[in-house]
Amino acid sequence: MAKPGILEINSVKDQVSAEEWEARVNLAAAYRLVAHFGWDDLIYTHISARIPNTDHHFLINPLGLMFDEITASSLIKVDLNGNVLMDTPYIPNAAGFVIHSAIHEARDDANCVLHLHTDYGVAVSNQKEGLKLLCQSSIPAWANVAYHDYEGFAVNDGEKERLVADMGEKNALILRNHGTLTVGDSVAKAFELMYFLEKACKIQILTESTGQELYSMSEDALNNALRDLLVVAGANGADNFTWPALLRKMDRLDPSFRD
């Protein structure tokens, strides 16, 4: 039985490939996790995931559902032009297509694009210096971040080229006066990088709020940390360890994301 306000969707699992269903489950879990961590913004912002073995088709949330209502079946399948590719009682949110379609089209490694408007992320996006290197938790995001200037609500296709150019080969993006974004070749990697980006932004705002003089790490310490980052995390640590643990957490809290 669907929750109040959520329409029944019949047999989506039976209509898609096993690879697409896995992508749906992982993406639905990411939406629920964003809500769990308090990173959602009512029904706004988006997380998208490319469907394997398709021509850049991807999944995105329907307009009108809170993130803690998203299920594998309720996600909408679209192409790069925003055309809906599968019958659904829902409609997509057009504001998500400019950012997500641009990155999915330009970056073959961007199988997941995660975009947020968190308080701490927006606060850092408003600061001229952007993300600062203040602590160990800041390093994964700081080493991967690029910046894109605000151009208004992201509904203009003309912004795509500039956004992609600004991001380059980085996996994290701070959208000035707007929010944060991460990508990964899996939902797991995009989510883990966002976790550290959000943590870095929060630590920055909290640290600066003390008004105390800051203590900076040495250049040698930074170089050691950058060198050892993959050793500590492992190249596929997010996929092999962090994400399975997060899925177990969501299964304990509410397994309906798998529906």
Side-chain angles (χ1 to χ4, degrees), residues 51-110:
I51 302 171
N53 305 315
T54 64
D55 184 19
H56 291 90
H57 298 164
F58 62 92
L59 301 164
I60 200 163
N61 53 317
L63 181 64
L65 292 190
M66 300 291 282
F67 280 20
D68 63 358
E69 297 176 315
I70 299 292
T71 65
S73 296
S74 66
L75 293 163
I76 298 178
K77 186 193 312 190
V78 296
D79 63 17
L80 292 174
N81 295 314
N83 298 309
V84 177
L85 302 176
M86 185 174 177
D87 288 342
T88 175
Y90 297 109
I91 59 174
N93 187 337
F97 291 115
V98 168
I99 291 174
H100 291 258
S101 63
I103 297 173
H104 281 301
E105 183 174 18
R107 293 274 301 268
D108 287 339
D109 61 330

Side-chain angles (χ1 to χ4, degrees), residues 189-225:
K189 288 177 182 173
F191 187 89
E192 184 174 73
L193 183 55
M194 180 59 78
Y195 177 86
F196 284 108
L197 177 56
E198 171 64 17
K199 188 177 183 73
C201 289
K202 183 175 183 178
I203 289 170
Q204 180 166 320
I205 298 303
L206 291 175
T207 299
E208 292 179 335
S209 72
T210 67
Q212 300 296 308
E213 184 177 357
L214 303 184
Y215 186 89
S216 299
M217 68 182 70
S218 70
E219 185 174 347
D220 285 345
L222 172 59
N223 290 334
N224 289 341

Side-chain angles (χ1 to χ4, degrees), residues 146-151 159 162-163 166 173-176:
Y147 296 86
H148 175 65
D149 285 346
Y150 187 64
E151 298 188 19
E159 187 175 355
R162 293 182 292 277
L163 186 148
D166 286 339
L173 184 68
I174 289 179
L175 296 100
R176 298 286 193 179

